[in-house]
Amino acid sequence: MIGLISATAAGAAACDRLAAAWPDRTRAYDGPVGDAVRRAFAECEQLVCFLATGAVVRLIAPLLGDKVSDPGVVCVDEGGRFAVSLVGGHGGGANELAREVGELLGAAPVVTTATDAVGVPGLDILGLPVEGAVAAVSRALLDGEPVALHNESGWPLPPLPVAEQGAYGIRVTDRLVETSEREVVLRPPTLVVGVGASRGAPSDEVLELIESALREAGLSRRSVAALATVDAKAEEPGIVAAAERFGVPLVTWSAEELAAVEVPNPSDAPLAAVGTPSVAEAAALIGGGELLVPKRKSTREDGAPAMATCAVVRRPTRGRLAVVGLGPGARDLLTPRAKAELRRASVLVGLDQYVDQIRDLLRPGTRVLESGLGAEEERARTAVEEARKGQAVALIGSGDAGVYAMASPALAEASDDIDVIGVPGVTAALAAAAILGAPLGHDHVSISLSDLHTPWEVIERRVRAAAEADIVVTFYNPRSRGRDWQLPKALAILAEHREPTTPVGVVRNASRPDESARLTTLAALDPATVDMMTVVTVGNTATRDIAGRMVTPRGYRWQEGTR
């Protein structure tokens, strides 16, 4: 929860804007400012104070404990010009909160954390539990001292300025290791614990069994990604409580799925009870991996029969491929999620002109693999190959990565041995529609007129179907130097079913500095004025030109007087 504190009318108005935008994330604190800050500090994970930084420093100084447990605090000045990350930049999330508040209120985020200032990822915000000398190793990274990376698990990391050898070190491992005063250990979520339990098994017995199994195998509890069991035990209190104590999800499988997994220690007891010869080992192994701890039973002080079993598997590390849509070109139409994925990637793959758009957002050390037009399949293969090496890869495309872009060739190359994340973007059709008015207010379709990948016969059939169905059509790739007849042909097909006065919107370079847009009609449109950087939107029989804007009604009929 984010606590909101203000002392003036301007601050209260800004608080109201945040509360309206984030109704489920915020809570406003009233009353004397000092009391409000103290209550919010104790009750919330983050604070946004519309107060002077000096005042906030004095108010929170007696409350500060440590960077791990303190909430993140952001200060916004009276004029709403700056959102200052004051306390808890990394651990409390204040740096990111300052950016979010800044975007919402139009304020400039002020982040002074050293790693953020120079583009080096903070070791405590990599998404992995961290142990050891975080401050010392971070300082070494900032000072340019050699820091060695020992990635035992091969976990995909963002770019880090590391060396093969160095006086300082970063180790990525799920093993229990002793750290020196110059070493940081990152704990990747590589371990899955399969659990079986008799009805009514005490949570302490289940928990002690898992913890002792990990400890004796030399494995860190902080690398446990999930507990897994059979569907029939999905609500077994002892297992549920153990998952909650570890802070990980409880994954369940059907007895039939578990019975199909080969295990070293099958048993008749679970077969009779839940329909599978193995619960703990099978549940841990079902996704593949190395069995580090075979099935073991709990022990009870009173000598009674064990009520729980567990097994531990190390899952193979999977590379990460983010397919990122960059939007139509304007930086403010690039989504925050896309920006985060670009900064997370250690390898970027993309068309050279798209790489140039976002090169400044990449972290230092990001490896860039760029190529020219016409190499889509090659870029897709390259991105998948890099992900299979265990890298964190971003494959970029314009607009939305899944619309006439890189997602489909990438997914055609990818198998289930890597994680694929789709990051949506604003498409050219949507950007153009926003400029034109509301042409896509009812059913609509996008059709590419390029016959490089699709035979013209197929394209023509789709255009004719849209014409007969009276659907608004947006044409991508409408005309190039070598393809100058397809757009006139498509327009002629639409003209068989629509009036010559049907509104047509023509937008070139939507959202870019040289953007141009005009509203014409189906009869008046000159195809010679259209090129590959243009999006052409043809209305349906209900679309109207209203005050110079192209509007397609949501309903099937216009109200009286709007014709």
Side-chain angles (χ1 to χ4, degrees):
M1 187 63 65
I2 302 171
L4 305 177
I5 300 101
S6 62
T8 65
C15 277
D16 290 343
R17 290 177 63 187
L18 290 187
W22 301 332
D24 298 326
R25 297 177 59 190
T26 56
R27 178 191 305 161
Y29 283 79
D30 299 322
V33 169
D35 292 341
V37 169
R38 283 187 287 273
R39 285 187 288 123
F41 198 93
E43 297 171 0
C44 297
E45 291 80 20
Q46 295 174 320
L47 280 70
V48 178
C49 300
F50 293 87
L51 306 165
T53 53
V56 177
V57 167
R58 292 185 178 88
L59 288 170
I60 67 172
L63 310 176
L64 294 174
D66 58 71
K67 62 186 298 182
V68 176
S69 59
D70 288 338
V73 179
V74 170
C75 290
V76 180
D77 65 288
E78 182 74 9
R81 297 170 301 163
F82 304 103
V84 182
S85 173
L86 186 66
V87 170
H90 285 168
N95 291 351
E96 182 59 32
L97 180 60
R99 296 186 182 99
E100 290 187 80
V101 171
E103 286 191 12
L104 190 62
L105 300 181
V110 179
V111 176
T112 58
T113 308
T115 51
D116 290 77
V118 299
V120 175
L123 297 175
D124 51 351
I125 59 167
L126 295 180
L128 302 177
V130 59
E131 303 167 5
V134 175
V137 175
S138 296
R139 173 55 62 89
L141 289 171
L142 293 169
D143 291 344
E145 297 188 42
V147 177
L149 174 65
H150 306 285
N151 194 348
E152 297 178 8
S153 70
W155 192 260
L157 296 171
L160 293 166
V162 293
E164 293 185 2
Q165 296 182 339
Y168 294 84
I170 300 170
R171 187 182 304 189
V172 187
T173 181
D174 56 22
R175 297 184 301 109
L176 292 174
V177 293
E178 293 186 6
T179 61
S180 72
E181 60 184 11
R182 294 188 169 192
E183 185 178 41
V184 161
V185 175
L186 300 174
R187 298 297 188 187
T190 54
L191 304 178
V192 176
V193 181
V195 185
S198 302
R199 181 177 299 175
S203 60
D204 288 345
E205 182 175 342
V206 177
L207 191 65
E208 173 56 30
L209 170 65
I210 297 171
E211 291 186 331
S212 63
L214 293 169
R215 185 171 55 249
E216 293 171 19
L219 300 171
S220 171
R221 75 189 309 275
R222 303 186 77 184
S223 282
V224 174
L227 267 56
T229 190
V230 67
D231 283 347
K233 299 296 179 180
E235 298 181 2
E236 184 62 43
I239 297 178
V240 172
E244 291 175 350
R245 289 283 293 275
F246 271 83
V248 298
L250 176 61
V251 180
T252 62
W253 305 92
S254 68
E256 292 76 14
E257 290 172 310
L258 297 182
V261 179
E262 292 188 10
V263 297
N265 301 292
S267 172
D268 292 334
L271 180 62
V274 294
T276 173
S278 172
V279 173
E281 287 182 341
L285 283 167
I286 195 167
E290 178 186 3
L291 184 63
L292 302 179
V293 179
K295 182 181 72 174
R296 58 182 290 171
K297 298 180 179 180
S298 59
T299 57
R300 309 188 72 184
E301 294 182 359
D302 57 5
M307 297 188 72
T309 60
C310 82
V312 183
V313 164
R314 176 184 289 137
R315 291 280 174 85
T317 298
R318 297 164 61 89
R320 190 176 193 277
L321 173 60
V323 188
V324 181
L326 301 181
R331 178 57 61 85
D332 60 355
L333 293 182
L334 178 66
T335 67
R337 186 179 301 180
K339 293 178 185 178
E341 288 294 345
L342 294 174
R343 295 182 64 77
R344 177 171 181 168
S346 59
V347 179
L348 181 85
V349 182
L351 180 67
D352 47 13
Q353 65 188 58
Y354 297 152
V355 172
D356 290 339
Q357 290 180 23
I358 48 83
R359 200 183 295 272
D360 62 301
L361 296 178
L362 305 178
R363 291 191 186 278
T366 303
R367 186 156 55 96
V368 177
L369 304 175
E370 53 189 312
S371 54
L373 285 168
E376 288 83 2
E377 288 78 8
E378 179 185 345
R379 285 195 292 275
R381 284 192 294 271
T382 297
V384 171
E385 288 169 2
E386 291 293 329
R388 284 179 175 146
K389 296 175 185 177
Q391 300 288 343
V393 182
L395 175 63
I396 60 173
S398 67
D400 181 276
V403 179
Y404 302 120
M406 294 305 302
S408 52
L411 295 184
E413 291 286 339
S415 54
D416 62 357
D417 57 345
I418 61 174
D419 292 326
V420 179
I421 296 91
V423 181
V426 178
T427 68
L430 296 179
I435 295 165
L436 294 169
L440 308 183
H442 210 295
D443 298 336
H444 54 274
V445 63
S446 296
I447 299 177
S448 171
L449 295 184
S450 172
D451 55 2
L452 294 177
H453 299 287
T454 306
W456 174 253
E457 293 77 12
V458 175
I459 297 173
E460 181 175 345
R461 188 165 65 245
R462 292 170 179 171
V463 174
R464 194 170 299 279
E468 294 174 351
D470 195 27
I471 296 176
V472 176
V473 181
T474 297
F475 288 124
Y476 278 70
N477 306 314
R479 184 177 181 274
S480 68
R481 292 179 181 177
R483 293 187 301 99
D484 58 0
W485 59 268
Q486 287 91 340
L487 179 59
K489 176 63 174 176
L491 295 175
I493 293 172
L494 291 175
E496 295 174 10
H497 300 270
R498 301 180 192 183
E499 295 294 329
T501 55
T502 299
V504 176
V506 181
V507 180
R508 188 177 188 277
N509 284 331
S511 87
R512 300 186 183 187
D514 55 348
E515 167 190 296
S516 64
R518 57 195 170 91
L519 189 57
T520 181
T521 65
L522 188 55
L525 174 62
D526 180 4
T529 63
V530 173
D531 62 13
M532 285 289 286
M533 305 303 293
T534 305
V535 173
V536 177
T537 301
V538 182
N540 65 11
T541 56
T543 305
R544 296 290 185 271
D545 176 345
I546 301 179
R549 301 182 185 91
M550 187 175 177
V551 181
T552 302
R554 291 183 63 188
Y556 287 96
R557 296 180 180 177
W558 287 95
Q559 295 179 351
E560 290 297 325
T562 60
R563 292 184 181 274

